[in-house]
């Protein structure tokens, strides 16, 4: 358990410092080891997708998140599906496809609302509001809901 927590912190530090080469190698090694031992690779796949997105390699980023989306849907894992949808939304946001962002955020919002997971709802609403504002669409209700949730839970969306 401690090793897993240390690995998570190390991943975030490497991502924040743009240490992509070392991080990519580490994540691929850990993903292989997890597969070999029959463990799930969702988190590692998400970390790879986040790293590719930060590098500007949107093709590989989308591939990673779509693999998790497919897994989440085919194995009825709503949390995995919701996280994949949010990460896809963040990638499309960086690519400038705000209509796709809204579509994905609506899907993830539905899932996280059913799971009653504040972090997921906040991530979804943030994507929806930001994309709506850029598109010039009305999002007053969603903005109000987002502000109330952020205040209530002291959580804001992650940018990576």
């Amino acid at each position: 358990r401690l090793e897993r927590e240390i690995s998570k912190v190390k991943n975030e530090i490497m991502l924040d410092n743009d240490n992509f080469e070392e991080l990519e190698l580490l994540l691929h090694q850990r993903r292989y080891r997890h597969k070999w031992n029959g463990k799930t690779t969702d988190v590692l796949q998400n970390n790879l997708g986040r790293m590719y997105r930060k590098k500007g390699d949107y093709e590989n980023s989308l591939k990673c998140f779509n693999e998790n989306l497919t897994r989440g849907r085919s194995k009825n894992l709503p949390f995995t599906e919701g996280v994949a949808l949010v990460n896809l939304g963040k990638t499309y946001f960086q690519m400038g496809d705000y209509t796709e962002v809204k579509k994905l955020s609506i899907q993830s919002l539905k899932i996280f609302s059913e799971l009653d997971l504040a972090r997921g709802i906040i991530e979804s609403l943030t994507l929806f509001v930001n994309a709506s504002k850029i598109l010039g669409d009305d999002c007053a209700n969603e903005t109000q809901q987002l502000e109330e949730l952020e205040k209530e839970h002291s959580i804001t969306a992650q940018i990576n």
Side-chain angles (χ1 to χ4, degrees), residues 28-41:
H28 280 293
Q29 288 171 343
R30 289 184 62 220
R31 188 175 63 171
Y32 175 79
R33 192 169 57 245
H34 275 66
K35 281 183 179 180
W36 180 259
N37 291 320
K39 296 179 182 177
T40 63
T41 60

Side-chain angles (χ1 to χ4, degrees), residues 64-74 80-81 84-85 88:
C64 288
F65 298 136
N66 275 312
E67 285 177 21
N68 271 358
L69 180 61
T70 299
R71 183 175 186 281
R73 287 179 172 166
S74 66
T80 298
E81 181 181 355
L85 288 164
L88 284 164

Side-chain angles (χ1 to χ4, degrees), residues 47-143:
N47 286 336
L48 272 169
R50 290 174 60 221
M51 180 203 65
Y52 288 131
R53 180 174 61 224
K54 190 165 183 196
K55 280 175 61 171
D57 183 353
Y58 301 124
E59 182 180 337
N60 277 319
S61 179
L62 292 172
K63 180 181 174 193
C64 288
F65 298 136
N66 275 312
E67 285 177 21
N68 271 358
L69 180 61
T70 299
R71 183 175 186 281
R73 287 179 172 166
S74 66
K75 302 220 180 254
N76 193 26
L77 302 169
F79 180 79
T80 298
E81 181 181 355
V83 169
L85 288 164
V86 164
N87 278 312
L88 284 164
K90 289 179 179 185
T91 304
Y92 279 109
F93 191 91
Q94 287 190 5
M95 295 170 65
D97 189 345
Y98 306 114
T99 302
E100 185 68 14
V101 172
K102 285 183 68 174
K103 183 180 95 175
L104 293 164
S105 66
I106 290 168
Q107 292 176 53
S108 63
L109 180 60
K110 181 180 184 303
I111 290 167
F112 287 126
S113 295
E114 290 172 1
L115 293 175
D116 193 28
L117 188 61
R119 154 114 13 246
I121 295 169
I122 289 168
E123 294 279 353
S124 302
L125 282 171
T126 299
L127 284 168
F128 183 87
V129 166
N130 291 342
S132 294
K133 286 179 179 177
I134 289 171
L135 292 170
D137 297 341
D138 177 49
C139 59
N141 291 339
E142 292 82 2
T143 300

